Amino acid sequence: MGFNEQHLLGIEPLAPAAISEILDLSEQYVDQNLRENKSSDKLAGLTQINMFFENSTRTQASFELAGKRLGADVMNMSMQASSIKKGETLIDTALTLNAMHPDLLVVRHPHSGAVDLLAQKVNCSVLNAGDGRHEHPTQALLDALTIRRAKGRLHRLSIAICGDVAHSRVARSNILLLGKMENRVKLIGPPTLIPSDFAEFGCEIYDDMDAGLGDVDVVMMLRLQRERMDGGFIPSEREYYHRYGLDGRKLKNAKADAIVMHPGPMNRGVEIDGDIADDINRSVIQDQVEMGVAVRMAAMDLLARNRRAKDQNEGLRL
Ligand code: ASP
C-alpha cells in the first residue's frame, strides 16, 4: 500500500510504505532541483492556492517554488489582508476559494484541527502546512529525507528531539513518522515542556541533555515557541540555554558522526549555539531546507495523480 490519500493532513494515517513512496519520489526531485532547468510540467494547468493564516518563511516559499517548478499556477493569498480580518469564517473563505476551482490548497492555521475541517468542505486536495501544535507533515517528511540521505537508512536509528516538545507540531509529526519507521526516539527537555503522555508513543523521556544525548545518531533541536506559551514554562532564556541549549560540550555525548537538525526559525544562543548550527560537518540545517522543496514537489505530484485516478474511477462508475 503506497500513498493513495486525497489529502496530506498529517503523518498519523500514513503507512510506512506510503512514507517511503513519497521519499523515493522526492529523490527524483532533489536531482531535478540541481539541474539548470528545474521546471517540469507535472502540475501544468493545475491551480495551487497557498493560504497561510500564520507567519511562515521557509514553508510558504518552499511550497510556492515547488508548485512553480512543477508548472502549476500558484497564488499566495495574503490572509492578513483577506476578509478573515472582516470577520469571515475559515469555512466561508474556503468555500469562496473552492468556487474558483483550485486543485491544491496549502493551508497553515494557528488552530489544531482547522486544516482537517477545511478539507471536509472543499473538493480539491488539501495539504497541511502546519496546524496549531498538531501536525506539520511535510516538515517531518523533509526531516526524514534528510536523515535517510545522511545516515543511509531511516530505521533503527537513535534520534533525540530536544526542547519545546509540548508546543511543537514538528515534534509530533516527527515522533509519529520516526516511530512508524522503527527508530528509537528520545525526547529531552524540562518536564514543563514535555507532556508525559508522549511516553505512549513509545518515546523515552529525559530531562537531562547529557544523559539523553548518549550515543544518538541524530540531534533534532526545536524552537522555544513563545507564541504558544501562556505563562512561565522556563525560568529564563539564559538558564534554558545553560541546561538545554545545544553546544559543543553537550553534543560530545552523541555519536561522533551524529547530525544536528533544526526546523527553523532558529533562536541562536537560546536552543542552539550559532557555531554548531553553522558547522558544516555536523549541521544539516541547510539540507533540510533543500529537501523541503523536493518533498513538497513529490507530495503535490502524488496528490494530483491520486486525484486523477479517483476522477477516472468515478467516471467509469457513472
Ligand atoms: N517552522 C516550524 C513550524 O512552523 C517550526 C517553528 O516554527 O518553530 O512549526
Side-chain angles (χ1 to χ4, degrees):
M1 274 258 294
F3 178 71
N4 41 31
E5 310 278 323
Q6 295 298 315
H7 306 288
L8 179 59
L9 299 174
I11 297 297
E12 198 162 9
L14 303 185
I19 293 168
S20 297
E21 186 181 356
I22 300 173
L23 300 185
D24 292 346
L25 181 61
S26 303
E27 289 287 357
Q28 292 179 28
Y29 286 121
V30 174
D31 294 342
Q32 178 174 319
N33 289 338
L34 290 171
R35 295 198 314 241
E36 190 184 349
N37 178 357
K38 300 174 182 56
S39 50
S40 62
D41 58 3
K42 289 279 166 44
L43 300 185
L46 302 190
T47 301
Q48 171 191 337
I49 301 183
N50 298 334
M51 296 166 79
F52 279 67
F53 296 89
E54 244 186 21
N55 291 343
S56 166
T57 315
R58 270 155 294 270
T59 308
Q60 183 163 354
S62 174
F63 266 113
E64 182 176 350
L65 210 52
K68 287 182 170 161
R69 287 189 179 163
L70 293 173
D73 294 317
V74 185
M75 182 178 93
N76 287 309
M77 286 279 295
S78 165
M79 300 320 294
Q80 307 302 324
S82 82
S83 301
I84 289 277
K85 286 268 172 249
K86 299 181 192 159
E88 189 175 73
T89 66
L90 169 67
I91 300 304
D92 282 335
T93 307
L95 292 177
T96 304
L97 290 176
N98 193 45
M100 299 178 194
H101 303 298
D103 302 283
L104 296 148
L105 267 185
V106 179
V107 187
R108 168 169 288 188
H109 199 277
H111 295 148
S112 303
V115 184
D116 291 47
L117 185 70
L118 191 141
Q120 292 163 27
K121 307 283 176 191
V122 297
N123 35 34
C124 61
S125 295
V126 176
L127 292 104
N128 181 0
D131 64 323
R133 57 180 82 175
H134 178 228
E135 280 233 38
H136 192 351
T138 55
Q139 177 73 46
L141 288 162
L142 74 87
D143 289 340
L145 186 63
T146 308
I147 295 171
R148 196 172 81 166
R149 288 169 67 94
K151 294 282 148 204
R153 65 180 199 276
L154 189 58
H155 59 275
R156 300 225 186 119
L157 291 167
S158 179
I159 298 168
I161 303 181
C162 315
D164 186 1
V165 174
H167 301 100
S168 173
R169 52 196 176 209
V170 174
R172 221 184 116 77
S173 290
N174 265 299
I175 289 165
L176 291 166
L177 190 153
L178 296 168
K180 283 173 194 276
M181 305 314 267
E182 295 178 16
N183 294 286
R184 176 175 180 198
V185 179
K186 299 171 164 189
L187 305 180
I188 314 174
T192 44
L193 293 177
I194 306 219
S196 54
D197 52 355
F198 272 88
E200 284 166 26
F201 291 101
C203 303
E204 296 162 40
I205 298 181
Y206 294 83
D207 68 359
D208 179 79
M209 284 287 270
D210 289 340
L213 289 179
D215 269 345
V216 300
D217 300 286
V218 177
V219 185
M220 191 183 286
M221 300 308 297
L222 300 171
R223 182 173 64 89
L224 210 48
Q225 313 217 354
R226 290 252 178 231
E227 74 278 21
R228 295 191 215 289
M229 295 183 192
D230 50 7
F233 283 81
I234 56 161
S236 71
E237 287 188 350
R238 226 174 122 210
E239 174 70 11
Y240 182 81
Y241 180 67
H242 176 65
R243 292 207 55 195
Y244 297 102
L246 185 67
D247 56 17
R249 193 200 61 74
K250 297 188 190 91
L251 185 57
K252 284 211 173 80
N253 293 290
K255 285 191 181 152
D257 62 351
I259 54 169
V260 173
M261 308 178 75
H262 193 300
M266 260 186 293
N267 293 311
R268 290 169 185 260
V270 178
E271 68 262 353
I272 191 165
D273 170 52
D275 290 344
I276 299 282
D278 298 334
D279 180 352
I280 51 166
N281 296 315
R282 304 308 291 266
S283 165
V284 292
I285 295 171
Q286 297 309 324
D287 303 77
Q288 288 174 268
V289 179
E290 182 183 347
M291 295 309 118
V293 181
V295 155
R296 289 170 178 127
M297 290 168 87
M300 292 198 290
D301 178 0
L302 289 170
L303 285 173
R305 290 188 210 177
N306 294 349
R307 179 72 43 176
R308 267 182 227 118
K310 183 172 174 253
D311 289 349
Q312 263 170 14
N313 279 340
E314 284 173 0
L316 288 178
R317 261 188 267 132
L318 285 180

